[in-house]
Amino acid sequence: METVVFSLLNGVIYGLLLFMLSSGLTLIFSMMGVLNFAHASFYMLGAYFAYTISSVSGFWLALIFAPILVGLVGAATERWGLRKVHANGHVAELLFTFGLAYLIDEVVKIIWGRNSVDYRVPELLDFPLFTLYGTQYPAYRIFILFVAVAMLVALWLLLKRTRAGLIIQAALTHPEMVGHLGHNVPRIFMTVFGVGCALAGLAGVIGGNYLVTDPAMAISIGPIVFVVVVVGGLGSLEGAFIASLLLGLLQTFAVSIDASFADIFGWLGLGETTEVGRITIASLAPMLPFLMLVLILMVRPRGLMGDRDI
Amino acid sequence: MEPMLEVRDLNAFYGKSHVLRGVNMEIMPGEVIALLGRNGVGRSTTAKAIMGEVAPRGSIKFKGQEIAGLESYRIAHLGLGYVPENRDIFPTMTVRQNLVLGIKDMKTPGRWSIEQMLEMFPNLKARADNPAGVLSGGEKQMLTMCRTLMGDPDLIIIDEPTEGLAPKIVHQVGDTIAEIAKAGVAILLVEQKLSIALRIAARVYVMGHGEMVWSGTPDEFREREDVRREWLEV
Amino acid sequence: MTAPALKLTDLHKSFGPAKIIQGVNLEIEKGERHAIIGPNGAGKSTLFNLISGQFWPTSGSVELNGQDISRMKPHEVNRRGLSRSFQVSNVFTNMTVRENVRCGVLYSMGHGYSFWRNVGNLREVQEKTSAILEHVGLIDKANLPAALLPYADQRTLEIAITIAGGAGVILLDEPTAGMSHSETDRAVALIEKATEGKTLIIVEHDMGVVFGLADRISVLVYGEIIATGRPEEIRGDPRVREAYLGDENLEGVA
Amino acid sequence: MSDMATENFANLAPSNAQKFRMRVLPFVLFAAVAVLIPLFGPSRSAYSLLNAIGINIVFALSYNMLLGRAGLLSFGHAVYFGLGGYAALHAMGMIENADGGFWGSVPVFAMPLVGFAGGALAGAVIGWPSCRRAGTAFAMISLGVAELIAAMGFMFGSIFGGEEGISGDRMNGPEVFGLSLGPIGEVYWFIAFWTVLAALLIFAFTRTPLGRMSEATRDNPQRVEFVGYDPTRVRYLVFIAAGGFAGLAGGMSAVNYEIFTPEALSLLPSGFVLIMTYVGGARYFAGPVLGAIVLTYMQSNLSDFTEAWLLYLGLLFITIVMYAPNGLAGIVAGLWNGTRATGMAYLKTWAARVVAIAIAMVGVIVLVEVAVRKSNGYGEVFEPFGLHLTPGSPLTWALVIVPLIVGLGLLRHLARDEQEAGA
Amino acid sequence: DTVKIGFIDPLSGPFGPTGDAGLKQFNFAADQINENGGMAGNTVEILPFDNKVNPKESLVQLQKAIDQGARFIVQGNGSSVASAIIDAVNKHNTRNPGDEVLFLNYAAVDPAFTNDRCSFWHFRFDSDADMKMEALTDWVTKNEDIKKVYLIGQDYSFGKAVAAAAERMLAEKAPDVEIVGNELHPLGKVKDFTPYIQKIISSDADAVITGNWGQDMVLLIKAAISSGSDVPYLTYYGGSLGAAVAMGEQAVGSVYQVSEVNTNLPTTDAQNALIDAYEAKYPNNNYYFHRIHMLMDMMDMAAEKSGSTDPKDIAMALEGMVVDGPYGTVTMRADNHQILQPLFVSVFSDNVQRDVENTSLGWASTDADRIEAEDTKTETTCKMERP
Ligand SMILES: Nc1ncnc2c1ncn2[C@@H]1O[C@H](COP(=O)(O)OP(=O)(O)OP(=O)(O)O)[C@@H](O)[C@H]1O
Ligand SMILES: Nc1ncnc2c1ncn2[C@@H]1O[C@H](COP(=O)(O)OP(=O)(O)OP(=O)(O)O)[C@@H](O)[C@H]1O
Ligand SMILES: CC(C)C[C@H](N)C(=O)O
Ligand SMILES: [Mg+2]
Ligand SMILES: [Mg+2]
């Protein structure tokens, strides 16, 4: 019972964190068609910016300014980089962001060092909120929950309720036509990319101290973010939300299950002693997202909630 | 009177191929002009160059202001509307949303409101909340024109509105254009079908090999069998 | 009696709730030139897609020379002797004209997926390719990248690829779309020459082409064939005038 | 205009001499270079570098069968490299433990063939589901599969050896060409032999019906269907072949390094081969070869000069993506054609551009190197040409800012000139 | 002349700090030797190579190190890497007679290296996983109220060796103690240990044994603290850089570490001066790898003794060497090249003279927690083949 409750709680928090990260990517992916490989790098930038800002002036200012800074970096990237490659098609864009990820990783290593930095949960939130079955539950996790939900609502309103959302969606498939109708498409793209990156940055501010802030944080979470976006369905915020939670729960529960293949497939004659039999469910956790990705792409290429194939 | 659009020595390239070679033309306010010519002479390119979709060299003045080289959204803001060859409706959005996107600025409403537009075109009104992708070819053509009108342009460039349409619908589209012209909007009509062009236009330009080779009124044009033979038929 | 070249039986196709093709029945004899006309969005291209395997029908069947092909993939249909062209030019733009045609020839000459032979050394393939280029009049431009071809030549190449595999049934979707009058005339001549002895089905909006070329015409409206018959019959049919041709007589085309 | 184009291309049909020059000569030269290198008595580290280059050439060429030829962007090509390598290592294990029998008669020299079989087999299994889709979906599947297989690598110890990986010994079994494969100089001959052979085979593949159709499928899969081919099948077969050659490279690597770890299957080496191929130029057959040479050199030697070599690599890659999408090979070809067409003038602007880039690079390098040393915290100082550049000194900043402004300004100027001059 | 020592360890990534700390300690020791006239008159130089804890990468770096003239290789982080290096060094030495290379291992403690896989060209200067586990299981046996033990470790040879040793020794020494969990997690990949801690808490364990190191140690402890898991954590590497900060006050009295040193042990003035000098030079690091100093000192002595810096001569001289170290006598076994040194089980405490990581907390132990070098000796299956 307690395992279930805690896995649920932790899974949801991890899922929300994933959602914060992937919402920005969903935004960029669905509106600009750019599969931003550097997205997790912007997440990392968010964490490092927050680390630096908070060491000078505290966490709360970092919470506001770090995402803005990341957004500006993102907008600049679009303005002077991505826009140039746009003409060469999506693969070129993808490769550009791929190279950018490399670059950001290296720059981060130079500025902040190769090892993790001591970016911590703000003291105000650093206390156990409640104790359940003898385990303390840190308040910061609930804070994550609130921020993520607020973000979901804001994004949803932005996307569904405004003309800006319409323009962006139209500009994705018919950028030139939208321009002829008098809308400044490049600026819209720049804004979208900037906002998407800022969202990643926000996730970094919040996730950086919840997890670890180190130069490997981008590459370790990057692929999972792709999984979320693809599994959730291209351009679907709801899909990304569901997929994030699903993945968060799946991974957390997998770790907490104490069974091996031998226990489960014992009836097939699979023994404790065989190599396959000894594989535990917990050890499967890291590969579950990718299993899901491959399966989804094969079975339902548009993802859970998407309206078009990727 | 000042011309509304004045094109001087316009040149354009696709990579290395020189497509427009010194195009000159002008359009007066409220005037309907037809641009004729064989396939591939560069009529669409002329339209694209004016609209900034193809990089132009030379001078393009709209209402006295130089617009060559401006971004397309700025050109649109000056009052130039464009209905491209391929129509480019937004297929997943409803007819109404398509019209909303035609509005440049929500704060300053133009001459036409969405409701008026729908009154004018009952076909569209019936499908106002359908995704535009399901419209028939003729309806799509009407929708693009209406959408452009929502931006309240003073001049619309319409590229081959009847291409690929069934004979019956061709006629409908002709009527629509005439209607728009009646409202005082100047029109540059790029058209292959002489019957329509000659019916609505006040003046005709004939293009050949990337430049203007003849211009005059429809009546003058009907007289000139030679122009027709040399520049419009192979 | 031999089976008809193509036989559509009670063909239906829906996209979600939208019923695009609603019960088409049609028989086309071997060697016939058949035109399909109809208003925009009537489902002509969709019908071609159904026949050629691009889409599968919701119900009904397509028979090619008596064999049911309605659940086959495009390449399987093609191998059974049916080839089609596209409404929008659909050639291999990065390849030369010759390579384009060669792609059309390879499979039919039995070189499928082989990876142990140099294409340059396949004598018969080269010869057949050249013959086709000669036939359609593109031999002078054989080494030009297809992307650089003028529009009319691209349409010609489109047709060349379509006939290259030697299929007995040829489907052409608006082959003269966007062509001027004289280009159209040349295209019609080419089509006549190239489909000599073959079964041809063509979709066109240009009534000159349709009435000049076709032995029989079918009129498709809202996914149903409202009339089939010889050109004179169709021209005179009031329903066809009402649904498709309109009041105006044949359009003067510049 | 079209007439002009026709004229330009009328005599495009390659003559026999041209065919020889374009298709045969490069391979003869390539092989000749490979044979001549040992005459210069390379050092041991030179040999390690050359061997690594050979392996990467084959790996990148195999990758380009997908990226450049079939238009498939894969993020998981290292999977086939790795599985081929593992297959070869297991075979080496069999050879080591064999007394007589089949494995007793198999030379280690033939391991690349085992690698080929392993890679092709893996390609056949994994390609089956993934080749049904092209484009972004294919890319994503390849990414998922790569992560999946890499994770499995850590789970099945008996196959992949867990964190430790699997080791082998190349000095067993019968010798071929009198090579014991012990000293690195002998391994060089092994690598050279397989590199040249694989390059030849991969080139030959592009000239076969399947090779041609793979390019056709890249450009227009829909049309391919209507000339009787199944694009899925075309992709699948090319995928298997590409997997096979990647596995062959893996087999070469297995013999050269005598170890494979599950990391070899992961995203990082897959990304590296993508970068090699793209930087070299995916449109050209020689592109990946060029990319492999340059990047392997950077990886093993530039990393000795500067810790920030990955940063330079990232910069190089991004610059290529932005300004030279046809890669180094494209630049070389452009230089060659441009010079032939417009003569010295072209060469001059080109040289001017190189100079401008070099000037700007000075600024970038000073900035990066000074920053790296500061961030290391060992108190080391960047001292090129006897200069003493500390983060605080104005000289440092002058050396960063002035070259950057001058170089970039010059580049801009050149670009504008070109725009005004050319069509 | 210079004696070049190739240092192959992670200098970036999740284990970067651990490798970096080792490198600093080597550099410091090398400087000391050089100040005192060098190694048999030669200057010692450490050449660092980053291997990202990847065995294959390590071999590439090994090749580079050898090409750059290093005849001595030191490494410690990761038995996976050490295993590959032992193998490669053996091969290199058979293929290049007269050009041999010697591997001095300062931390990779998979027991196999001095048993079945022992090699003349490998010396280990750290007590192996079994020897340390003896100490930890003794501690468990002594504590009557520990009835349930949870094992958690990294999924590779060392982690498995720790788990196996714990199972074997507990079964032997304290049959009534139940092992309620035996978990292996991926090496260096887990970012949030909360789910694992969750399992530990719900298993009702009275103590946890872990061989985790580097970031895996820091994050494990961080998660344990924030979830309020307050049972004793018996660790091999609780002293990993960064762990102390993550533990904070809450870990006082509940985290233990078995090691060859803690800086609060009574020792000689010279040793205290050495510690001071080290911590003055590297204010962000603590004196942690005492065994690195032992390694360098013993190598120095071997060079003096044999009057040579040839790897083979040094190896011969190292065999059976006995040294009087600042914390007791240290012996290099000749039969399997395993060091025998005193071990200490220390506890994290707020009452210490020397703190770690500027926290005012540190490691402390009593005399009762000392295990004499002789007592750590284990049976070996090694059949040493000497050239
Ligand atoms: N994107 C392009 N790239 C290269 N060449 C192009 C491009 N678009 C058009 N062209 C070429 O430029 C010339 C002029 O094209 P344009 O579209 O302006 O002709 P048009 O007069 O509108 O004819 P059409 O009746 O075909 O619409 C043609 O030769 C055409 O092949
Ligand atoms: N994949 C699809 N999904 C949904 N609707 C489709 C799809 N393909 C075609 N349609 C719809 O089917 C109808 C028929 O389209 P089709 O292209 O067959 O028309 P057509 O007769 O060829 O017209 P045209 O003469 O303009 O080429 C159109 O309303 C179109 O919107
Ligand atoms: C540096 C050490 C913590 C390495 C570890 N003891 C191992 O053997 O793998
Ligand atoms: Mg046109
Ligand atoms: Mg159609």
Side-chain angles (χ1 to χ4, degrees), chain A residues 19 77 100 102 120 123 130 166 176 188 208 212 302 309:
Chain A
F19 169 69
T77 304
L100 187 68
Y102 253 80
R120 298 219 198 170
E123 245 158 68
F130 53 83
L166 273 187
E176 272 161 355
I188 296 172
V212 195
R302 58 185 48 185
D309 287 7

Side-chain angles (χ1 to χ4, degrees), chain A residues 83-195:
Chain A
R83 195 174 292 179
K84 275 214 166 60
V85 257
H86 185 74
N88 299 339
H90 285 329
V91 169
E93 289 176 324
L94 201 157
L95 289 174
F96 174 82
T97 57
F98 182 74
L100 187 68
Y102 253 80
L103 211 58
I104 294 182
D105 277 13
E106 292 306 310
V107 170
V108 162
K109 279 183 206 160
I110 289 182
I111 300 182
W112 287 282
R114 290 148 180 270
N115 302 315
S116 60
V117 295
D118 183 26
Y119 172 37
R120 298 219 198 170
V121 170
E123 245 158 68
L124 192 60
L125 293 172
D126 195 10
F127 60 93
L129 194 64
F130 53 83
T131 306
L132 205 63
Y133 305 114
T135 306
Q136 299 168 354
Y137 203 76
Y140 192 69
R141 296 194 190 169
I142 301 301
F143 173 71
I144 295 181
L145 192 134
F146 278 117
V147 176
V149 171
M151 201 162 112
L152 174 69
V153 172
L155 263 180
W156 200 77
L157 289 177
L158 177 77
L159 276 183
K160 303 282 148 155
R161 292 294 158 85
T162 64
R163 201 171 75 114
L166 273 187
I167 297 175
I168 296 166
Q169 273 165 33
L172 171 62
T173 43
H174 304 81
E176 272 161 355
M177 191 62 232
V178 176
H180 295 312
L181 292 174
H183 307 295
N184 187 348
V185 177
R187 200 182 60 198
I188 296 172
F189 275 8
M190 186 172 90
T191 315
V192 170
F193 199 79
V195 170

Side-chain angles (χ1 to χ4, degrees), chain A residues 195-223:
Chain A
V195 170
C197 291
L199 291 177
L202 179 62
V205 177
I206 295 202
N209 49 10
Y210 173 61
L211 301 172
V212 195
T213 301
D214 69 359
M217 67 193 284
I219 192 156
S220 64
I221 208 157

